[in-house]
């Protein structure tokens, strides 16, 4: 009898170490998931086709082999990664009501999800630097942003993401989780997962805070500083027409920054201060946070960047 009790305790401890999480679709609208999947599929199709087209155009059009478009191609590739990292679990819930996910698969999803988020933040800083050099120091633009320097910047952005995300996820392995492991979203999101822990998570919280400071905490001031210097340079131009023409080259990047950071800050505020908010608010904010940049970035750059627009039109309507 004692032997059976020991086995039961062992299995209970083993299960707590290897928990299964329950992902959430759209709370209160479970019966309409198949209908809700239609707009989600449209958004995913828009994100995948739009970013693939931007990538294809930049790779094939030699006239677009310039620093600004290299950074844009990395942004599109990152948006594709973000889309793929959540699409599988979201559509699985909406189509098949299959909402179970293991801790290991959850960690893999968070690796790609948070990794691509960190990379996108770094790419937006690189693009802000590109606009700063192009406007404030145009004569030295090709000397400063050489191909080797662009590769170095890309390597640093990817290495930063890896160095920050790997320790954060390794610290999840020894964490014990409570019996009821229901997540707030249709994908694994680190602050959401860590709230379900039963053991001490101070190390996880500290690591998460360090990651936040070393990404958003550095990247946001860098982008703001770039635009302060750009605005100061633009205001020194005598002709109002030239001022408008110069600053219009930044509109696409400002749009990309807005659609990335505004949903991110909004979701962080909802997680920290909106615990009394309805569950559907958390879910919708989480989906907007990850779907908005991949969907809108290709549209913003296609509409606002003349060279991209011309290349897309020539591709679509080529005889």
């Amino acid at each position: 009898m004692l032997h059976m009790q020991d086995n039961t305790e062992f299995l209970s401890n083993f299960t707590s170490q290897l928990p299964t999480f329950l992902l959430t679709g759209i709370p209160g609208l479970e019966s309409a998931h198949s209908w809700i999947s239609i707009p989600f599929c449209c958004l995913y199709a828009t994100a995948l086709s739009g970013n693939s087209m931007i990538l294809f155009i930049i790779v094939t059009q030699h006239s677009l082999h310039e620093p600004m478009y290299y950074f844009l191609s990395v942004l599109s590739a990152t948006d594709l990664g973000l889309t793929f990292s959540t699409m599988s679990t979201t559509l699985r819930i909406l189509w098949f009501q299959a909402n179970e996910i293991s801790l290991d698969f959850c960690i893999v999803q968070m690796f790609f999800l948070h990794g691509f988020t960190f990379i996108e933040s770094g790419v937006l800083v690189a693009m802000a630097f590109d606009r700063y050099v192009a406007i404030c120091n145009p004569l030295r633009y090709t000397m400063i942003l050489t191909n080797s320097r662009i590769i170095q910047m890309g390597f640093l952005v990817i290495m930063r993401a890896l160095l920050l995300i790997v320790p954060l996820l390794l610290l999840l392995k020894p964490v014990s989780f409570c019996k009821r492991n229901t997540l707030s979203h249709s994908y694994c999101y680190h602050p959401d997962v860590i709230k379900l822990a039963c053991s001490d998570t101070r190390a996880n919280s500290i690591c998460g805070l360090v990651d936040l400071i070393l990404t958003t905490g550095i990247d946001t001031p860098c982008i703001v500083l770039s635009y302060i210097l750009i605005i100061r340079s633009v205001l020194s131009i005598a002709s109002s027409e030239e001022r408008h023409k110069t600053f219009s080259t930044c509109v696409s990047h400002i749009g990309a920054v807005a659609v990335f950071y505004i949903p991110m800050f909004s979701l962080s505020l909802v997680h920290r201060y909106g615990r009394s908010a309805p569950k559907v608010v958390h879910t919708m904010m989480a989906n907007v946070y990850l779907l908005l940049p991949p969907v809108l970035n290709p549209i913003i750059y296609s509409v606002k960047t003349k060279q991209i627009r011309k290349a897309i039109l020539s591709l679509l309507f080529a005889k």
Side-chain angles (χ1 to χ4, degrees), residues 290-304:
L290 286 179
L291 268 175
L292 209 63
V295 169
L296 290 185
N297 280 342
I299 297 169
I300 290 167
Y301 276 94
S302 301
V303 171
K304 291 293 181 182

Side-chain angles (χ1 to χ4, degrees), residues 237-268:
I237 300 169
S239 166
S240 60
E241 188 180 336
E242 279 296 312
R243 282 202 297 267
H244 179 266
K245 187 179 175 182
T246 304
F247 196 71
S248 66
T249 61
C250 301
V251 171
S252 300
H253 180 253
I254 292 168
V257 169
V259 299
F260 179 75
Y261 282 108
I262 291 171
M264 179 196 278
F265 288 133
S266 302
L267 182 62
S268 299

